């Protein structure tokens, strides 16, 4: 490992790794925890979404409030709020306009017909033990979208004289200050951000934290030694130490400056080469306070870049492909997942954070002699986290392979790399979860669906002799049981159950999917609009006003997540002038009640990894609410 010119700001204890799944140097408490983790937890049936949801909830959502919103519509004011996991069955809610009770409902939305635009509301449970629960604070009525003011960083000029400005890019949400509401963490990319395959200098990358009223809590400057681009900065926002305040975890380097002004490593070091790549100098993993932006812990990033050629080329393209996630590896506590490489060598490390210390739990290396060549080149442009063996502990789903909760390889099926990835309960008629993936390799099946526990394919499409770059799997049409799948290179809408065509017309987009209207199917989210699939054509449900999508042709939102109101999802787009984040929520009534998606562990973890590389939509542990 390259010797650093200055030590990291915070010294952390790192566990020595002997090989995949083998750990030495554990404390007595850590060893006991690891031993306990090998005992299968009592878990719910994979075919019962309610008990599956209730089995283990993320600590990250323990303090959630009702998330009440009131949106102005042509009929009046549309109110929506959360059903929480610990609400007793049959809970009813009283709706108050000011101090006047105007209605009672057993669902989590209500339309106050003819109400004034300036009306203010509270909602309170009325039945069972929930009667004793306090209401959230009173909320006012907003337009059909909510604007969060943001503060664009000043632009700059690269060493070779190229000017750049900034655009708001990917976002994440978590409760940063234990107030029961979500805040937004936003990544700012310079306009000269680069794909790894392209040379050139980039500006610095920034992370900001905002309250929903636009108050900026802090700004982290990742510094000149972190290159800008979709594959470099994958940030995780989650409560890792169980204090109800989320932390922010990200790869850092010499010159990274915290939200409180602390500098990691050397403030003067410049490791950029003449092509703009950063192929020298120390690499760190840092944990920042979500409340203040202060550095809480820093350790050497694992794995180090080492020999560039071991990742598949000699100029730094494949060595700097990073992925990140969060997983409950022992069933009760979230761990940080950091990964490097997927075209050839793939290395995944798991870390625990507590008491201002990062501790490495395990490292999986596809090049380890204990793994062999079968694990090489099986990664994707993203990952997913799911409990695929139903033991209460999460696995890391990594393209055409999966890593068990203990860091050992769970399965590899040899079907190679791809650009899109979906893991969920796509075939509810069979137990367990499934993986759907199109293929970049021309010699492989154009797309395939497999058992997420074993990797055994349930069906495969013929090779298309092409790079099948886009594909989606979810239930978007009630005319077919279970999920549907479609991809760029395969004709028609197909059943996830057997791959058979169920409709000749494919959806008008192959991108994100979102629960938006009042039924159990998901809708199509692409660019700055939401559509409803139909066999004769798509129906436009929403077109964002004055907003733009992110990530070029990927056309993804800053974030899609269930962050306000009932179980339907919000979409966040930056405004075209990058002065606001605009949050859209549905105003469609629904008779379906469901616990907030953010209290489904798999969905909440998907929101955490959504910003990773080629963004993908979040999937829950169940197919339909």
């Amino acid at each position: 490992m390259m010797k650093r010119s200055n030590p990291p700001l915070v010294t952390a204890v790192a566990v020595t790794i002997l090989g995949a799944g083998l750990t030495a140097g554990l404390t007595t408490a850590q060893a006991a925890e690891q031993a306990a983790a090998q005992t299968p937890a009592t878990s719910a049936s994979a075919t019962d979404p309610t008990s599956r949801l209730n089995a283990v909830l993320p600590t990250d959502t323990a303090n959630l409030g009702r998330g009440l919103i009131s949106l102005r519509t042509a009929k009046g004011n549309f109110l929506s709020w959360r059903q929480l996991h610990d609400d007793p069955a049959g809970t009813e809610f009283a709706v108050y306009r000011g101090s006047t009770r105007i209605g009672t409902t057993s669902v989590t939305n209500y339309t106050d017909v003819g109400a004034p635009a300036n009306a203010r509301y509270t909602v309170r449970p009325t039945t069972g033990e929930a009667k004793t629960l306090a209401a959230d604070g009173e909320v006012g009525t907003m337009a059909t979208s909510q604007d969060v003011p943001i503060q664009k960083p000043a632009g700059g000029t690269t060493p070779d004289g190229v000017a750049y400005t900034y655009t708001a890019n990917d976002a994440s949400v978590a409760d940063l200050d234990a107030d029961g509401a979500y805040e937004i963490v936003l990544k700012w990319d310079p306009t000269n951000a680069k794909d790894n395959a392209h040379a050139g200098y980039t500006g610095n990358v920034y992370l900001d934290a905002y309250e929903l009223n636009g108050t900026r809590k802090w700004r982290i400057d990742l510094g000149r030694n972190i290159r800008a681009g979709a594959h470099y900065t994958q940030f995780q926002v989650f409560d890792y130490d169980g204090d109800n305040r989320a932390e922010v975890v990200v790869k850092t380097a010499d010159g990274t400056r915290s939200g409180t002004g602390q500098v990691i490593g050397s403030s003067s070091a410049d490791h950029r080469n003449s092509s703009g790549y950063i192929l020298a100098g120390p690499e760190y993993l840092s944990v920042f306070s979500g409340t203040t932006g202060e550095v809480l812990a820093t350790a050497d990033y694992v794995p180090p870049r080492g020999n560039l050629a071991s990742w598949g080329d000699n100029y730094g393209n494949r060595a700097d492909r990073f992925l990140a996630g969060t997983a409950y590896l022992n069933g009760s506590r979230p761990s940080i997942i950091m990964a490097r490489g997927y075209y050839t060598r793939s290395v995944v490390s798991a870390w625990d954070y507590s008491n201002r210390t990062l501790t490495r739990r395990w490292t999986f290396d596809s090049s380890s002699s204990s793994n062999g060549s079968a694990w090489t080149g099986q990664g994707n442009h993203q990952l997913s986290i799911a409990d695929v063996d139903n033991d209460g502990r999460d696995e890391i789903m990594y393209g055409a392979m999966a890593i068990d909760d203990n860091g050992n390889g769970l399965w590899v099926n040899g079907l190679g790399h791809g650009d899109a990835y979906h893991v969920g309960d796509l075939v509810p008629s069979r137990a367990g979860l499934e993986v759907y993936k199109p293929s970049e390799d021309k010699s492989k099946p154009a797309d395939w669906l497999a058992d997420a526990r074993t990797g055994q394919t349930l069906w495969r499409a013929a090779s298309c002799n092409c790079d099948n770059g886009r594909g989606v799997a979810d239930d978007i049409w009630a005319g077919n049981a279970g999920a549907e799948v479609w991809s760029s290179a395969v004709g028609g809408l197909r059943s996830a159950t057997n791959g058979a065509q169920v409709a000749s017309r494919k959806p008008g987009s192959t991108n994100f999917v979102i629960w938006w209207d009042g039924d159990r199917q998901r809708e199509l989210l692409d660019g700055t609009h939401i559509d409803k699939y139909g066999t004769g054509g798509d129906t436009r449900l929403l077109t964002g006003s004055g907003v733009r999508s992110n990530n070029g042709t990927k056309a993804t939102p800053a974030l899609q997540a269930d962050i306000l109101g009932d179980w339907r999802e919000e979409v966040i787009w930056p405004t075209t002038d990058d002065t606001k984040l605009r949050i859209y929520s549905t105003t469609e009534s629904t008779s379906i009640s469901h616990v907030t998606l953010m209290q489904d562990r798999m969905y909440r973890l998907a929101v955490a990894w959504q910003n990773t590389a080629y963004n993908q939509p979040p999937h829950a542990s169940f197919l339909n609410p």
Side-chain angles (χ1 to χ4, degrees):
M1 184 178 295
M2 184 172 296
K3 185 177 180 181
R4 65 177 75 95
S5 56
N6 284 296
L9 179 68
V10 181
T11 301
V13 176
V15 175
T16 302
I17 301 299
L18 299 178
L22 302 177
T23 308
L26 293 173
T27 66
T28 302
Q30 289 166 340
E33 179 188 42
Q34 187 177 78
Q38 304 311 309
T39 303
T42 301
S43 184
S45 166
T47 59
D48 181 353
T50 302
S51 59
R52 191 175 181 85
L53 170 70
N54 294 351
V56 181
L57 290 172
T59 56
D60 188 71
T61 66
N63 201 39
L64 274 183
R66 290 288 169 198
L68 172 65
I69 52 174
S70 174
L71 301 172
R72 188 68 178 166
T73 71
K75 294 180 181 179
N77 298 330
F78 176 79
L79 282 66
S80 178
W81 60 92
R82 295 185 186 111
Q83 178 181 333
L84 299 172
H85 170 257
D86 54 3
D87 285 337
T91 295
E92 292 190 338
F93 299 90
V95 180
Y96 292 83
R97 186 200 306 149
S99 60
T100 303
R101 181 167 169 169
I102 58 173
T104 302
T105 178
S106 59
V107 295
T108 51
N109 61 92
Y110 183 91
T111 300
D112 189 6
V113 178
N118 63 350
R120 300 183 64 82
Y121 297 92
T122 54
V123 169
R124 185 182 299 273
T126 66
T127 55
E129 296 177 4
K131 288 178 66 175
T132 63
L133 298 178
D136 283 356
E138 190 177 58
V139 301
T141 300
M142 302 179 291
T144 53
S145 61
Q146 177 179 356
D147 281 352
V148 180
I150 55 178
Q151 300 172 35
K152 183 188 294 191
T157 304
T158 60
D160 54 355
V162 177
Y164 60 88
T165 58
Y166 278 89
T167 59
N169 189 248
D170 295 334
S172 193
V173 293
D175 185 356
L176 302 179
D177 50 17
D179 64 354
Y182 286 127
E183 285 77 40
I184 297 175
V185 176
L186 172 68
K187 182 177 75 158
W188 288 99
D189 265 354
T191 50
N192 58 0
K194 298 284 192 290
D195 184 270
N196 300 45
H198 299 286
Y201 292 99
T202 74
N204 294 10
V205 176
Y206 296 94
L207 295 175
D208 284 358
Y210 293 96
E211 301 280 0
L212 294 188
N213 64 7
T215 300
R216 194 179 81 187
K217 300 174 75 69
W218 46 256
R219 168 169 289 170
I220 295 168
D221 177 1
L222 293 181
R224 66 169 68 96
N225 295 307
I226 294 290
R227 202 167 188 246
H231 303 289
Y232 294 100
T233 293
Q234 327 302 347
F235 59 99
Q236 291 297 286
V237 188
F238 214 84
D239 176 15
Y240 292 103
D241 60 3
D243 67 353
N244 291 324
R245 295 172 174 84
E247 291 77 42
V248 178
V249 183
V250 68
K251 183 175 179 284
T252 58
D254 279 343
T256 294
R257 188 176 296 273
S258 78
T260 56
Q262 303 154 292
V263 175
I264 293 174
S266 169
S267 61
S268 61
D270 188 345
H271 301 296
R272 297 173 293 183
N273 66 21
S274 59
S275 297
Y277 286 102
I278 301 160
L279 306 179
E283 301 176 283
Y284 304 128
L285 179 65
S286 295
V287 180
F288 297 87
S289 165
T291 304
T292 66
E294 170 196 5
V295 181
L296 299 175
T298 292
D300 290 322
Y301 190 87
V302 177
R305 63 177 72 87
N307 180 5
L308 294 182
S310 72
W311 303 98
D313 60 52
N314 60 7
Y315 70 102
N317 174 10
R318 297 185 174 191
D320 275 1
R321 301 276 177 158
F322 299 99
L323 301 177
T326 297
Y328 283 79
L329 298 177
N330 70 352
S332 60
R333 169 182 174 163
S335 295
I336 302 157
I337 304 299
M338 287 286 158
R340 184 177 213 142
Y342 41 77
Y343 284 118
T344 50
R345 182 186 178 197
S346 297
V347 182
V348 182
S349 288
W351 299 81
D352 294 333
Y353 170 74
S354 182
N355 298 321
R356 302 179 77 97
T357 299
L358 274 165
T359 304
R360 186 151 50 105
R361 178 179 281 265
W362 51 251
T363 293
F364 171 91
D365 190 337
S366 67
S367 296
S368 168
S369 59
S370 62
N371 290 323
S373 61
W375 299 85
T376 298
Q378 302 303 310
N380 244 52
H381 280 291
Q382 60 286 127
L383 50 67
S384 185
I385 305 295
D387 176 11
V388 300
D389 53 10
N390 207 30
D391 64 356
R393 303 186 294 269
D394 291 323
E395 281 69 49
I396 292 83
M397 310 302 293
Y398 208 80
M401 67 182 194
I403 301 167
D404 206 352
D405 55 80
N406 61 7
N408 290 324
L410 182 65
W411 60 259
V412 58
N413 64 16
L415 293 179
H417 170 73
D419 286 0
Y421 200 51
H422 301 270
V423 180
D425 190 9
L426 305 176
V427 187
S429 60
R430 65 181 299 276
L433 304 174
E434 292 79 33
V435 177
Y436 170 73
K437 191 171 87 65
S439 298
E440 182 173 311
D441 190 330
K442 296 178 181 180
S443 67
K444 304 296 185 185
D447 60 2
W448 50 269
L449 187 132
D451 184 318
R453 184 180 63 84
T454 65
Q456 179 180 1
T457 53
L458 304 178
W459 56 261
R460 309 180 182 194
S463 169
C464 62
N465 193 31
C466 66
D467 177 353
N468 191 15
R470 298 287 183 99
V472 185
D474 214 312
D475 184 10
I476 60 160
W477 183 46
N480 171 68
E484 296 77 48
V485 303
W486 67 103
S487 67
S488 300
V490 179
L493 185 69
R494 297 183 175 270
S495 168
T497 302
N498 54 23
Q501 182 171 298
V502 294
S504 59
R505 181 185 176 274
K506 287 194 288 190
S509 63
T510 311
N511 201 352
F512 272 40
V513 284
I514 185 171
W515 278 298
W516 186 259
D517 66 8
D519 63 25
R520 298 184 187 277
Q521 281 68 47
R522 277 179 127 177
E523 283 65 58
L524 309 169
L525 169 58
D526 181 53
T528 58
H529 55 88
I530 295 173
D531 301 322
K532 183 76 171 177
Y533 171 77
T535 55
D538 297 341
T539 301
R540 183 62 47 87
L541 302 182
L542 173 73
T543 299
S545 175
V547 296
R548 61 165 178 80
S549 60
N550 273 331
N551 301 313
T553 60
K554 302 297 186 290
T556 53
L559 186 72
Q560 170 194 328
D562 175 19
I563 63 173
L564 294 166
D566 65 24
W567 57 271
R568 272 89 55 86
E569 296 169 280
E570 278 66 45
V571 57
I572 305 177
W573 288 298
T575 56
T576 52
D577 61 1
D578 288 302
T579 62
K580 303 176 186 69
L581 295 176
R582 187 158 289 161
I583 305 174
Y584 283 90
S585 299
T586 185
T587 56
E588 296 271 352
S589 297
T590 182
S591 61
I592 299 170
S593 290
H594 197 276
V595 172
T596 174
L597 300 178
M598 296 293 262
Q599 287 187 318
D600 177 77
R601 186 170 92 188
M602 185 169 158
Y603 180 91
R604 177 65 188 92
L605 297 177
V607 170
W609 57 246
Q610 187 181 143
N611 68 74
T612 292
Y614 289 176
N615 304 12
Q616 298 289 286
H619 294 282
S621 64
F622 51 87
L623 186 63
N624 300 113

